[in-house]
């Protein structure tokens, strides 16, 4: 596949509306993915898929597209794979405090969930 | 209409998921409504409708229902009318910093929009 078709469009954060970002983060699988990338750093698309192994590949692709089009993640070729990273600095500049607040809540939620699995 | 049918259910904030709140705030009309109630205090349903006068009544009712079911607003009878108020203290306790951050962005957005209308 030539490099050009592997390059996906990424919006300028200045053109992204707050409501688009809120919508992108409003799905449990998408939020979980953003939480993991925020915690562990950029991930391959294959690793990202592990967030919700039961999801159809098409559903998962749609989630990645929604996050990319809302300016939340970058999805770029890296060798034979693709890497997904969080556009954290840009998001923090455009929407100060938003991602921090959402991720703090998501972490609390994930901790509660993990604790209830253990007990 | 008997009082009982006028009383709508409101969730306990402890049972509301972050993603539900993000989704409720991810629509431009709903976010604008929340912004106005946060700024000006509780509003009658009729006043709320003025946020988006072009919207169908059914669309608007659906917006109010989405906000109420996500625990963002209360919608209670007040004489012959209904009053819509923001559950701000409860939301701040459950999701610290989230509403502040979203409303700050929404205010910035609204100011830009109003300025571009004036000029």
């Amino acid at each position: 596949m030539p490099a050009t078709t592997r390059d996906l469009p990424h919006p300028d954060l200045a053109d992204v509306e707050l409501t688009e970002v809120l919508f992108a983060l409003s799905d449990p699988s998408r939020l979980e993915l953003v939480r993991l990338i925020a915690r562990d750093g950029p991930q391959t698309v294959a690793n990202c898929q592990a967030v919700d192994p039961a999801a159809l590949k098409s559903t998962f692709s749609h989630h990645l597209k929604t996050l990319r089009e809302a300016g939340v993640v970058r999805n770029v070729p890296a060798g034979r794979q693709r890497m997904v990273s969080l556009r954290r600095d840009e998001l923090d500049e455009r929407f100060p405090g938003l991602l921090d607040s959402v991720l703090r809540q998501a972490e609390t939620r994930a901790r509660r969930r993990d604790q209830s699995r253990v007990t």
Side-chain angles (χ1 to χ4, degrees), chain A residues 37-84:
Chain A
I37 299 176
R39 195 189 63 182
D40 301 337
Q43 301 290 323
T44 62
V45 166
N47 270 0
C48 289
Q49 238 158 336
V51 164
D52 189 1
L56 289 175
K57 210 167 171 177
S58 58
T59 307
F60 181 75
S61 295
H62 181 73
H63 283 330
L64 273 186
K65 185 168 182 261
T66 303
L67 287 168
R68 176 174 52 80
E69 290 182 345
V72 178
V73 302
R74 285 199 186 278
N75 178 347
V76 296
R80 290 189 178 198
Q81 307 213 54
R82 302 192 64 88
M83 290 300 282
V84 181

Side-chain angles (χ1 to χ4, degrees), chain A residues 8-116:
Chain A
L8 298 168
H10 291 86
D12 188 323
L13 260 288
D15 299 328
V16 170
E17 288 289 343
L18 171 61
T19 44
E20 290 176 78
V21 175
L22 294 173
F23 179 77
L25 299 172
S26 75
D27 174 89
S29 299
R30 290 198 295 267
L31 181 59
E32 180 64 3
L33 181 56
V34 168
R35 184 182 75 84
L36 288 176
I37 299 176
R39 195 189 63 182
D40 301 337
Q43 301 290 323
T44 62
V45 166
N47 270 0
C48 289
Q49 238 158 336
V51 164
D52 189 1
L56 289 175
K57 210 167 171 177
S58 58
T59 307
F60 181 75
S61 295
H62 181 73
H63 283 330
L64 273 186
K65 185 168 182 261
T66 303
L67 287 168
R68 176 174 52 80
E69 290 182 345
V72 178
V73 302
R74 285 199 186 278
N75 178 347
V76 296
R80 290 189 178 198
Q81 307 213 54
R82 302 192 64 88
M83 290 300 282
V84 181
S85 59
L86 195 57
R87 298 177 68 178
R88 184 145 194 174
D89 291 349
E90 292 168 279
L91 284 165
D92 286 348
E93 198 185 324
R94 173 86 165 100
F95 305 111
L98 180 66
L99 203 61
D100 274 351
S101 158
V102 169
L103 287 174
R104 215 180 309 125
Q105 301 309 317
E107 276 299 336
T108 309
R109 183 169 160 271
R111 266 199 303 275
R112 271 196 212 128
R113 185 195 55 202
D114 293 347
Q115 279 169 357
S116 69

